[in-house]
Amino acid sequence: MYEIKVERTAAPKAKPADESKLGFGTIFTDHMLIMNYDKGQGWHSARIVPYGPIPMEPSAMCLHYGQEIFEGLKAYRGDDGGVYLFRPQENFKRLNASCERMCIPPLDEELLLESLKQLVELDRDWIPHAKDSSLYIRPFIIATEPKLGVKPSDSYLYMVLLSPSGPYYPTGLDPVKIYVEQSYVRAVRGGIGMAKTGGNYAASLKAQDEAHGQNYSQVLWLDGVERKYIEEVGAMNMFFVIGDEVVTPALSGSILPGITRKSVLELLRSWGLNAVERRLSIDEVVEAYRSGKLAEAFGTGTAAVISPVGELKYDSLVMTIGGGRIGPVSQRLYDTLTAIQWGRAEDPFGWRVRVC
Ligand SMILES: *Cc1c(COP(=O)(O)O)cnc(C)c1O
């Protein structure tokens, strides 16, 4: 057992009265987790404290050079009253992989899981009850050394925030419209695309903004070198059902290794489907579309779980996929994953972790 000090709030906040207006990431619970790193001492002083502002030097290195990483997962209120996490060990493994890339000292993954469980249990009444709503969990690390020299920081903060969030699809599983980005790139091999770090998102804002201006919800990124191979979408990995294959781009170093992606691959293979990780060019997708072999396209990520793509635009070609409706593979994946996450189905893979 790890010793985690708990300072309870003296002024609990009112919980949102209308769960239908929750949205995403705007409300925070009563408590947060915090832990320090100092050179010579290592990671220390894990504690739960009331949610609130943190004192920070304006010279803190994260504010200038972007040395920071984050994670995203959810706690689910099960139909049986239990509170569940979905493969949280994978999040903490990836957190350490992001740390490695960004020169942040590694953390004890068992301590991260244990302390997260304690935080979620303490604020469990904040987990929304409405169907398909959840408690979004945001662990993150920032470099705090007050210094303007460019080098890895000597001090860090690890924190976890909890945010009650509404259903991703309030009006049902509507397919999204995305276009293939041809001007901007998000990441290159050898860069930081495989790390969950803010810089990748800063780099994507411009394209995202232009996409919204043209009434598309997101952009599909191509590789940064040849601008030919499919990478991913915003905060989602991509899958294409082409003929008898379900194809997703192989992890090349410039793509974020999604936990939903990994789970989808494992599910598809358990169903006996031909799930393939390989390079996939946009030309091949266009070709498959033209020959009638492109049956489905969908994104995968913690927020949406499965996000069917109903329209994909490349240059002047507008491809309508699956008649603009969700396809059978996407639907089965969505139903299976969400049933496991909310404790509505058996969990043959042991993905669910019970908090309380
Ligand atoms: C978080 C993220 C994903 C999805 O990962 P999940 O673990 O499935 O939530 C995909 N792409 C990017 C860039 C991300 O940051």
Side-chain angles (χ1 to χ4, degrees):
M1 219 23 204
Y2 294 94
E3 187 59 45
I4 294 154
K5 265 215 219 136
V6 179
E7 183 198 332
R8 282 169 181 265
T9 179
K13 294 178 280 194
K15 307 209 170 44
D18 185 354
E19 284 191 356
S20 70
K21 296 208 174 70
L22 278 176
F24 173 75
T26 55
I27 298 168
F28 298 94
T29 64
D30 280 328
H31 299 92
M32 62 186 188
L33 185 80
I34 187 162
M35 177 161 57
N36 295 71
Y37 176 93
D38 288 286
K39 198 174 182 166
Q41 251 184 304
W43 287 102
H44 64 92
S45 313
R47 59 212 184 266
I48 291 171
V49 298
Y51 176 91
I54 49 169
M56 198 159 64
E57 299 272 351
S59 52
M61 293 177 90
C62 64
L63 299 176
H64 303 272
Y65 308 122
Q67 196 192 8
E68 78 93 42
I69 60 104
F70 65 96
E71 269 302 324
L73 65 162
K74 289 171 171 176
Y76 308 85
R77 184 183 291 286
D79 289 357
D80 60 356
V83 172
Y84 299 107
L85 303 170
F86 183 74
R87 309 188 82 175
Q89 298 94 335
E90 294 289 333
N91 289 92
F92 294 132
K93 214 165 93 186
R94 186 171 67 189
L95 176 135
N96 269 336
S98 297
C99 282
E100 205 278 325
R101 180 64 182 84
M102 302 300 287
C103 291
I104 297 170
L107 295 89
D108 175 344
E109 291 169 25
E110 268 180 53
L111 167 63
L112 297 185
L113 180 55
E114 191 52 42
S115 54
L116 173 63
K117 282 182 176 174
Q118 290 192 29
L119 178 67
V120 170
E121 184 165 4
L122 180 63
D123 278 348
R124 65 179 294 172
D125 291 346
W126 283 87
I127 307 175
H129 295 76
K131 186 164 188 297
D132 295 338
S133 60
S134 59
L135 185 70
Y136 185 77
I137 302 168
R138 167 54 56 85
F140 66 103
I141 298 174
I142 52 174
T144 53
E145 186 182 349
K147 186 169 186 167
L148 296 182
V150 178
K151 61 153 199 109
S153 175
D154 281 345
S155 60
Y156 299 88
L157 276 184
Y158 168 79
M159 301 186 68
V160 182
L161 311 179
L162 304 178
S163 177
S165 299
Y168 192 87
Y169 296 107
T171 58
L173 222 68
D174 295 326
V176 295
K177 285 168 56 175
I178 59 181
Y179 74 70
V180 180
E181 178 58 57
Q182 292 182 280
S183 312
Y184 305 109
V185 298
R186 170 187 174 271
V188 291
R189 254 164 285 152
I192 54 173
M194 50 64 69
K196 217 165 167 75
T197 183
N200 289 322
Y201 281 77
S204 73
L205 292 175
K206 182 86 176 152
Q208 179 73 34
D209 212 38
E210 291 182 11
H212 283 166
Q214 294 179 45
N215 236 336
Y216 284 85
S217 65
Q218 311 233 21
V219 304
L220 174 63
W221 299 104
L222 297 179
D223 76 278
V225 179
E226 294 176 72
R227 314 259 184 126
K228 200 172 147 186
Y229 296 99
I230 287 172
E231 298 236 301
E232 59 176 317
V233 170
M236 288 194 289
N237 296 109
M238 279 302 298
F239 285 77
F240 296 84
V241 182
I242 300 175
D244 65 357
E245 270 190 347
V246 187
V247 190
T248 192
L251 299 176
S252 57
S254 52
I255 300 174
L256 205 280
I259 295 158
T260 319
R261 174 188 182 279
K262 182 175 181 170
S263 307
V264 161
L265 284 169
E266 289 170 29
L267 271 180
L268 291 170
R269 286 168 185 159
S270 80
W271 295 338
L273 295 178
N274 187 16
V276 188
E277 298 167 80
R278 60 171 172 86
R279 290 223 286 188
L280 175 66
S281 70
I282 184 64
D283 293 337
E284 184 183 339
V285 170
V286 169
E287 185 55 40
Y289 169 75
R290 291 212 160 110
S291 64
K293 280 202 210 145
L294 177 60
E296 299 181 42
F298 57 92
T300 66
T302 294
V305 191
I306 301 292
S307 183
V309 176
E311 180 182 317
L312 182 62
K313 182 169 180 261
Y314 177 51
D315 222 348
S316 54
L317 176 67
V318 176
M319 299 178 264
T320 302
I321 304 169
R325 285 181 299 276
I326 183 167
V329 175
S330 312
Q331 185 73 58
R332 187 176 179 196
L333 285 166
Y334 181 82
D335 292 344
T336 306
L337 280 169
T338 53
I340 293 175
Q341 289 165 337
W342 270 276
R344 297 194 283 259
E346 289 300 304
D347 176 26
F349 303 94
W351 287 341
R352 222 156 42 207
V353 171
R354 189 163 183 149
V355 174
C356 54

